[in-house]
Amino acid sequence: MRVQLKATHSAANPGLRRALKIAAAGLLASGTGKAQEVPPDAPSTGVDSGVLYYHENGRVQAIEPELNLSQMFGEDSKLSIGAVGDALTGATPLGAVPSTLPQTYIRPYKVVPLGTPVTVTTASGGSTVVLVPPAAGATTQTLAASTIVPANTYPLDHAFHDDRFAGHIGWEQALTSTLKLNGGLAYSKEHDYRSESANIGLSKDFFAHNTTLDAGLNYESDLSFPIGGTPTPLTVINGDWKGPDASRHEVDAVAGITQVMNRRWLATLSYSYADAHGYQNDPYKIISVVDPISGQPNSQLYESRPESRRKQSVFLDNKIHLSSDVISVSLRGYKDDWGIKSVTADLRYRFQIGQDYYIEPHVRYYDQRAADFFRYYLVAGEAMPQYASADTRLAKFHAATYGMKFGMPLNEGSEFNVRIEYYDQHGNGSPAYAIGQLRQQNLFPDLQAVTVLLGYTYAF
Amino acid sequence: MKLCTRLALSAIGLAALCISGCASFGAKPWQHDLLAERAMQVDPYPLQSSIDDHIYFSKEASSGGRSFAGGGCGCN
Amino acid sequence: MARERKDLSTNFTAMASPCVVLVDSSDSLLGEAVGDLVKSEALRIEMKFSRYRPSVVTHINEHAGDAVLVDEESADLLDYAALCYRLSEGLFDITSGVLRRVWKFDGTGTLPTSARVQQALEFVGWHRVRWNRPVLQLAPGMEIDFGGIGKEYAVDRALALVQKRTPVPVLVNLGGDLRVTGLRHDGAPWRVVIEDVDRLGSSAGLLELSHGAIATSGNTHRFLEKDGIRYGHVLNPKSGWPIDEAPRSITVHADTCTEAGQLAKLALLRGAGAEQFLEFEQVRAWCIR
């Protein structure tokens, strides 16, 4: 869902004004003076498209094209549709700790009828196919991929590849000159995950379009059907086919105010609240159980996260127009009941060159506190916690983004832009409490990613 | 006072200030010229922000703020 | 900071108003040529659509009741007037000039009777006109008047001719309705003085114009005052009476003078609802009550 917290001045296009403009243009264009200075009719169809190239060093690569179209119907309504696809390849962290000794991981990936001839080959990503001994009386047999992680290597899942397709449709309707309604549907599908959502929102202008109040509601329903089935949390990993599909539901609400502070400054403040219930685990992530003295991993367990999550965030955004340049500075504070807290600060400076060209450097700083149940590893012999995850996305870390964007017009009303960004995430790879061999390992390899985004927009 | 709490209180304070003073802030209708420019919109490049949201959502634990994810993905 | 060079200016009178052409250049020959170009175009339009001397308009008015063939330019203006009549739902009407005979804004303070106004209304209304380009047929007794469009149209036409001739920054001002080609040479906007409605002739404020045009519609120069009520000279063509609670002056900024002038008039015709109309249509305007 895209909650269009539109600036207060962009109310529905007035029909009279436009008709008058066209009439005046018609009068002046005919006869002697071809008045080129009269601006053309505002187009009613918009295009917003782009292609993203994403590369995470040594790990993930992705290409993601996206296309959005919008169409005005009369002066008060707008239909928008969009689709995005992404093809992801590469390796992603398993969640296990590295060791001075080689380690083996196993994951089921296919079920075949019993008796099917299977050649034990090397499956993708350097793993071996293993036939899992079937249970008594079973008519099917599971094939699992077994991978060996060399010593002193951060364990990655090399067979990772994911293709995603998502689409959305939305409608915006101006009910009066100051009141607007919007609604939409969205759908996203991967080979092991599906998400559907519906949203609705309202926005009202006050004080001659200087103030806008917005409110929106989003409902999302997700289904996870991982390859190999849904594992039981905190059980030892094995090659057996796991459990059935698991679902999750989330309701999000957002309320905001956008205020024209003065001719050059627009500010937005919003608050959002979300409540999620259901399966929140990453079915592929594991957590190591290590020996209390040597720090060597004894076994690996499937991770476990709570079944509910409540999130809140406050967002403040400012757009300031200098003589020709524009500064955007925003701040976001986030907190949820998993114990995660974060602060995001974002700054962009758009250097306007001539009428339509621009260069925009950008920096973003992000700082996150770990989830209560985040653990780099569990220690054998200690009490088993209710929830535990070694997914570094939930760990304590900070990250910085540095980017540059170039924009140029192609022809009337259209823009082509290129954006290059560098993302650098740092966590604590050597916690003070690390035991034995873990002291010499890097438990949080830094993540660096480069993105290149090419965009083309027309009348959007 | 924790940063998060401090941030929250400042945000609430600013909101209260905003709402009470909203009638006095602003610009006359004919002064909305700069505000009409693309770069001054709240979300001038929606495709770019949705891609950013998706990237950060897959790398960080926070989500939301400006808009909704609009169809989550399995990379949670 | 560069020293401000004085603009080359041409002054003349047209459409019963003082007119000025400012040219941001040091080329005096060019300044003269541009000034002459604007002056001749303004006078041409004034003469062609004048109500007082033999012109296209007097010819049409004298032959009310007959089918009259009009030229391309007049046809364009009639098309435009017809469109404005529709867009304003009848508030803007070039046949409303007949009401002038009933309302004498001569300072004697005489109000017409209801009956007289009703009588005059028989000859007012674009819906009574048969307009099939290029043939116009007014009902007998009717009159048309391009006074409400002419000046702004002349500004736009004159500016178009100037732009074909030279890229130099120019400001064309015909009696307060003006337009600029763009920013001045040094990148600065043109500075325009807005007249004070209470003290005609003195300044109420300064407007900085970087592009487009401004047009003013107002009640200030001609009005009737009786029993403390000021009856503006802008009449509602549907009722025959002056617009209730019209602002004294509305100045509008738009890309063309024609558009600005039309918006100013349409706002004025809405009387008490002028500001609301301007806000709703997102017009850059300045209302003085």
Side-chain angles (χ1 to χ4, degrees), chain A residues 94 105-109 143-147 157 159 227-228 238-239 283-285 302:
Chain A
L94 277 165
Y105 300 92
I106 190 161
R107 162 160 335 128
Y109 73 92
L143 300 178
S146 170
T147 322
D157 182 1
I227 307 297
N238 59 61
Y284 305 116
K285 288 264 193 292
Y302 295 107

Side-chain angles (χ1 to χ4, degrees), chain A residues 401-447:
Chain A
T401 307
Y402 309 99
M404 188 72 90
K405 183 179 175 189
F406 305 87
M408 67 184 208
L410 285 182
N411 45 49
E412 189 75 53
S414 73
E415 180 183 311
F416 174 71
N417 51 59
V418 179
R419 195 189 71 169
I420 300 166
E421 302 217 305
Y422 173 72
Y423 178 78
D424 191 6
Q425 189 182 89
H426 286 282
N428 184 3
S430 315
Y433 52 79
I435 319 166
Q437 67 94 19
L438 294 168
R439 299 186 84 81
Q440 68 199 75
Q441 302 290 358
N442 181 1
L443 302 182
F444 192 138
D446 293 342
L447 189 164

Side-chain angles (χ1 to χ4, degrees), chain C residues 113-129:
Chain C
T113 61
S114 224
R116 284 224 62 199
V117 172
Q118 284 312 310
Q119 237 180 355
L121 276 178
E122 292 298 316
F123 302 101
V124 173
W126 182 260
H127 57 280
R128 293 197 167 99
V129 170

Side-chain angles (χ1 to χ4, degrees), chain C residues 167-181:
Chain C
V168 159
V170 171
L171 181 150
V172 172
N173 180 347
L174 302 181
D177 293 331
L178 62 96
R179 185 166 164 187
V180 300
T181 54

Side-chain angles (χ1 to χ4, degrees), chain C residues 21 24 41 87 95 114 145 148 164 172 210 239 242 246-247 272 281 285:
Chain C
V21 180
D24 183 14
E41 180 68 358
L87 288 175
T95 65
S114 224
D145 174 3
K164 280 221 304 236
V172 172
S210 63
S239 71
E281 300 295 341

